[in-house]
Amino acid sequence: MALQPGKGKVDGKHYLPSTPETVRWGELPTARTRPVLTVDSGSTVTIDTVSQEGILEDQGRDPDAFFGRHGVTSSEVLDDARAIAASGIPHRFGVDGPHVVTGPVYVRGAEPGDVLRVEILSLLPRARYGMISNRHGQGLLAGEFPEGPTPDQDADARHWQGFRTVGSFCAVERRRGKLFGVLDAVAGGARVRFPLNPFIGIMAVAVDLGGEPGGDAGADQEAGTATVPSTSVGLHGGALDCRDLGMGARLYLPVQAPGALFAVGDPHYAAGDGKIGLTALEGPLRATVRLSALREPAARAALGSLREPFVETEASWLTLGLDVDATEAIRRAARSAVLFLSSRLSLDRASALAYLSAAADFGISQLVNGVQTAYCRIRRSDFTEPPPPRPRLPRAALGRLVGTGDDVAGYDGAGYDLLDGSGPDGLGIEGDADDEVLDRAARAQDDGDAPREDDRVGLPRAAVRRKKSNGPAPLAAGADERGGGASDHRGDAGPRGQDEPDEPERHTAGPDGGSAAPAPRVADEVPGSLPRQVTSGASRRPLRRSETPTPPATG
């Protein structure tokens, strides 16, 4: 029932599992960290992330025994979580960071001064359960919660109950096409159910700690042994815990080291602003991202003069502020917002401040990692420029975990019943949403306007065929081309329609982190519109593709 490593859908061109060789427990990468995968700029990578919950020392470092107490069978425990917990990776509970960080990924062509754009294309829950933990001495109400005795002095992984961590087990259920977390019911208490909103809590590029060749020997040695805890936040990103970084969002990070060295960790199923109890609903995700290195012209077009972590969604822009003091963190987010509005949208600074005071939303993403993360959310609809095309995979990012005809080892015929193609909000594309997009495109044609490219790209093929019956649609400008070729995708892909393109060649990270994948085409420019419908003068019928005249060349 669990989405085990390499099983089920792998949407990216490259696949990166979480193994003892590809993860760092409690640390973020530095400029000296050896990459576990190398990709070209613009490539898509699918990463199986692992949650730290269930494998930490205060939970026994044994996910089978820990989750078994909550009724989880051995087949539903992830193999990679089990392997990491049983490995010899050193980890000091309460000293090292708690998170399992996968990577880093070396992006060819990314250099210091560039900006790495991370597009979140899909997020797929890997388990039907998650955990919310409250630990002594941590969280907004430290000293008040957990209630009860303090931890024993001799508590360790073999005597883990002595830590007295309070964990709340959450089952994941689907209702009317949407996913919810359900807290364990207490006798006589109300049943608690809340919607899921998956996102990755840690996304980071490598931190440059200095220590250049030919420099001071002592500084070089110190830089070579220095580590960055997984709880850190800064210009490199890190534990931002921004719940707006769900599917379809884009994160921009200033590159500090050659290759960017991108890493991820701390997957969430849901989180409230602030995460006041220390953790939110933690659960493992299969994340597919597109990694693109932006040079200065493209970076300025996206961010203006801002060179800090920045979040972009279809509806909003978010600037972030980081500081040990929450009020100062909000000030930093506000200053970044003024800089963005003035340099990117050409507002004068007084008008930018006036707009932020009247219309922007400020809040706190997390208050529990030492350095607080604040945000300023700006509505894109308040400005006249159109939003960019939504980041999409060439096919629907999510749907059935095991589609019709799939025969994947480790799954029964029912597959993963939480995700069966119904497209829960924030996890996939609903049929109603597809119909709305198609109807909007049809109305645009009726009004004499050509449909935009982002109204076509990424729709399920069956939906497109319902609307268009006079031949296949032309390839939209700016859409990703997926070449044919052999695939090492685990399992049978199932039946495919005759008009569906071949799967791209997949590349799995090897021990040396290398990859011989050809560079995919990256389209940073704004895509154009599809051509207007052309009809013949005599019959006024739509012309077939072979009859469509070639437009004259323009100098």
Side-chain angles (χ1 to χ4, degrees):
M1 300 295 288
L3 183 51
Q4 297 290 358
K7 307 297 183 181
K9 279 194 172 184
V10 176
D11 290 314
K13 183 174 184 179
H14 306 268
Y15 171 66
L16 178 58
S18 288
T19 69
E21 294 75 32
T22 63
V23 304
R24 302 177 69 82
W25 199 341
E27 298 177 7
L28 296 181
T30 70
R32 296 195 173 197
T33 303
R34 182 179 180 181
V36 299
L37 177 67
T38 299
V39 302
D40 291 304
S41 177
S43 293
T44 56
V45 184
T46 295
I47 306 171
D48 272 341
T49 64
V50 170
S51 174
Q52 68 276 4
E53 293 299 321
I55 69 173
L56 285 169
E57 288 79 0
D58 67 338
Q59 296 162 335
R61 199 160 168 167
D62 183 350
D64 287 287
F66 179 78
F67 288 119
R69 292 176 172 83
H70 299 281
V72 177
T73 63
S74 179
S75 63
E76 291 182 321
V77 175
L78 294 178
D79 292 339
D80 42 10
R82 185 183 290 119
I84 292 169
S87 71
I89 300 176
H91 184 260
R92 298 167 297 173
F93 181 78
V95 178
D96 300 328
H99 311 103
V100 176
V101 179
T102 308
V105 178
Y106 186 99
V107 181
R108 293 189 183 100
E111 296 293 339
D114 296 343
V115 172
L116 183 70
R117 183 177 64 198
V118 184
E119 301 174 71
I120 296 91
L121 302 178
S122 68
L123 294 169
L124 187 64
R126 301 182 59 205
R128 298 190 301 169
Y129 54 86
M131 288 295 299
I132 307 170
S133 294
N134 181 217
R135 295 181 167 91
H136 283 273
Q138 301 184 61
L140 183 63
L141 301 180
E144 301 176 44
F145 288 88
E147 296 176 320
T150 58
D152 296 339
Q153 294 297 322
D154 60 347
D156 57 22
R158 287 188 293 181
H159 306 91
W160 60 273
Q161 293 91 345
F163 287 106
R164 294 189 171 88
T165 295
V166 174
S168 299
F169 180 85
C170 279
V172 176
E173 68 175 25
R174 192 190 59 162
R175 293 176 58 88
R176 299 180 181 179
K178 296 178 174 62
L179 295 182
F180 293 86
V182 181
L183 278 171
D184 271 347
V186 178
R191 190 168 186 264
V192 180
R193 185 177 66 238
F194 51 91
L196 299 192
N197 177 37
F199 67 96
I200 301 293
I202 293 177
M203 288 190 280
V205 294
V207 179
D208 186 2
L209 298 176
E212 297 294 332
D216 180 72
D220 287 353
Q221 184 177 5
E222 182 179 354
T225 58
T227 61
V228 179
S230 62
T231 54
S232 71
V233 290
L235 290 178
H236 59 284
L240 298 173
D241 284 328
C242 178
R243 64 178 183 172
D244 288 82
L245 285 170
M247 195 179 76
R250 297 177 177 182
L251 174 65
Y252 296 84
L253 297 172
V255 175
Q256 302 184 37
L261 298 176
F262 175 74
V264 300
D266 193 22
H268 292 71
Y269 284 177
D273 278 350
K275 290 180 57 178
I276 65 169
L278 178 62
T279 81
L281 178 52
E282 316 282 323
L285 293 171
R286 174 167 291 178
T288 299
V289 298
R290 179 180 287 116
L291 304 176
S292 304
L294 304 183
R295 302 294 190 201
E296 179 56 29
R300 177 168 287 276
L303 307 177
S305 299
L306 190 67
R307 292 298 179 270
E308 299 173 359
F310 179 82
V311 178
E312 178 183 46
T313 71
E314 186 180 15
S316 305
W317 291 301
L318 284 88
T319 59
L320 303 177
L322 312 171
D323 197 86
V324 293
D325 178 71
T327 302
E328 183 59 28
I330 293 175
R331 287 195 186 99
R332 290 175 180 268
R335 294 186 187 109
S336 296
V338 170
L339 177 60
F340 172 77
L341 292 175
S342 60
S343 62
R344 170 70 171 75
L345 298 174
S346 300
L347 270 67
D348 64 84
R349 290 173 59 83
S351 297
L353 181 64
Y355 167 79
L356 295 174
S357 184
D361 294 324
F362 288 84
I364 299 291
S365 292
Q366 61 85 14
L367 288 162
V368 295
N369 287 340
V371 177
Q372 326 299 343
T373 304
Y375 64 82
C376 171
R377 183 182 290 114
I378 302 168
R379 287 188 301 271
R380 300 183 70 135
S381 60
D382 293 348
F383 301 86
T384 56
E385 69 168 22
R390 181 184 302 176
R392 294 182 185 271
L393 289 164
R395 62 181 183 277
L398 296 180
R400 295 189 66 87
L401 180 65
V402 181
T404 304
D406 279 356
D407 183 17
V408 179
Y411 290 86
D412 56 19
Y416 189 68
D417 58 359
L418 295 176
L419 296 171
D420 63 351
S422 56
D425 287 346
L427 294 177
I429 302 174
E430 294 195 46
D432 293 340
D434 297 340
D435 292 338
E436 180 183 351
V437 172
L438 288 168
D439 290 341
R440 188 166 68 249
R443 287 195 299 271
Q445 282 190 321
D446 293 339
D447 295 338
D449 295 329
R452 299 198 318 267
E453 174 191 316
D454 56 335
D455 288 336
R456 292 280 187 177
V457 178
L459 294 181
R461 301 185 181 280
V464 174
R465 286 197 293 271
R466 286 200 304 270
K467 278 292 180 182
K468 187 175 181 65
S469 60
N470 60 328
L475 179 65
D480 283 349
E481 298 174 358
R482 295 171 71 92
S487 171
D488 67 358
H489 180 48
R490 313 294 175 86
D492 187 5
R496 307 173 68 90
Q498 62 181 5
D499 60 342
E500 186 170 344
D502 294 335
E503 280 284 314
E505 181 181 2
R506 302 221 189 282
H507 300 264
T508 304
D512 60 351
S515 173
R521 183 168 64 87
V522 181
D524 282 334
E525 67 274 12
V526 178
S529 299
L530 296 175
R532 295 177 183 271
Q533 188 180 41
V534 182
T535 58
S536 62
S539 64
R540 309 304 295 174
R541 65 173 176 81
L543 290 175
R544 297 182 179 88
R545 183 187 292 271
S546 59
E547 300 172 337
T548 304
T550 303
T554 60

